[in-house]
Amino acid sequence: YYSLMLLKKGGVLFVDNFIEESFSENFEGVVSIAASFLDYFSALNMMPNMLVIGDAVYDVGSNTREKFQELTVALALAGTDREKKITEVFPLISLSGSESGSILFLTPSFDDARHDFIKKLTSLNVAVFPIYVGARLTERPPLTNEAGFEHSKIAEGISKL
């Protein structure tokens, strides 16, 4: 559902890497989800307009094998950015979202800062589809289209298979 909405509007695939840990299982989960979405988009021959990893922007342009490889390599090499805060990329993300109409927002945590960030984007008429991996760390009401996955619960469910 999220991917089809993103594709209909052009879309930005945003990978939030602004976390304090140098390694995070949740961030690795976000990268994995992003790679899965790119693979899916590529198979449909409907890539997003751009991939944004933190503050690095990758214009997609066309759906070629070389472009797909470039984007998957960028994801594979992505690391966390412990120096910056999510709020610092608001101008970049709001401009990208305004130009393309929608953002698939993948984040390793969902806290007050991310909730407010997304709320601010939606106030600019940008359709945002937030997916977080890990615990929901805010008491604020759920956003439209919000979806979350907790690694511990997924691993627990898999172990029962």
Side-chain angles (χ1 to χ4, degrees):
Y1 169 76
Y2 287 109
S3 60
L4 293 178
M5 291 302 293
L6 176 75
L7 294 173
K8 284 180 182 176
K9 296 182 177 250
V12 173
L13 180 57
F14 174 65
V15 177
D16 172 10
N17 69 343
F18 302 105
I19 58 173
E20 294 179 9
E21 299 89 14
S22 59
F23 174 80
S24 163
E25 236 180 54
N26 292 342
F27 178 69
E28 295 303 317
V30 164
V31 169
S32 179
I33 291 169
S36 295
F37 271 115
L38 278 180
D39 185 48
Y40 179 68
F41 295 150
S42 181
L44 291 176
N45 199 27
M46 299 175 75
M47 295 290 273
N49 291 339
M50 66 182 73
L51 168 66
V52 180
I53 303 171
D55 61 0
V57 177
Y58 301 88
D59 287 319
V60 175
S62 61
N63 185 20
T64 63
R65 183 173 186 198
E66 292 78 20
K67 182 54 76 173
F68 179 75
Q69 287 175 338
E70 175 191 337
L71 299 174
T72 54
V73 166
L75 282 170
L77 296 175
T80 61
D81 187 338
R82 297 179 290 164
E83 303 296 317
K84 293 182 183 152
K85 302 289 181 208
I86 186 86
T87 53
E88 294 178 48
V89 294
F90 186 81
L92 169 69
I93 301 303
S94 63
L95 178 63
S96 301
S98 294
E99 289 175 355
S100 64
S102 64
I103 299 172
L104 182 53
F105 189 101
L106 306 177
T107 183
S109 65
F110 197 74
D111 55 15
D112 290 343
R114 280 147 180 90
H115 184 279
D116 294 347
F117 189 95
I118 293 168
K119 197 85 166 144
K120 204 168 159 183
L121 284 170
T122 58
S123 74
L124 299 173
N125 294 319
V126 177
V128 182
F129 305 95
I131 298 176
Y132 56 93
V133 178
R136 189 176 197 281
L137 304 172
T138 182
E139 296 295 320
R140 297 189 175 140
L143 297 167
T144 305
N145 303 318
E146 179 184 317
F149 306 96
E150 287 192 49
H151 258 116
S152 60
K153 290 183 181 175
I154 293 169
E156 186 179 300
I158 290 171
S159 70
K160 291 179 183 178
L161 296 177

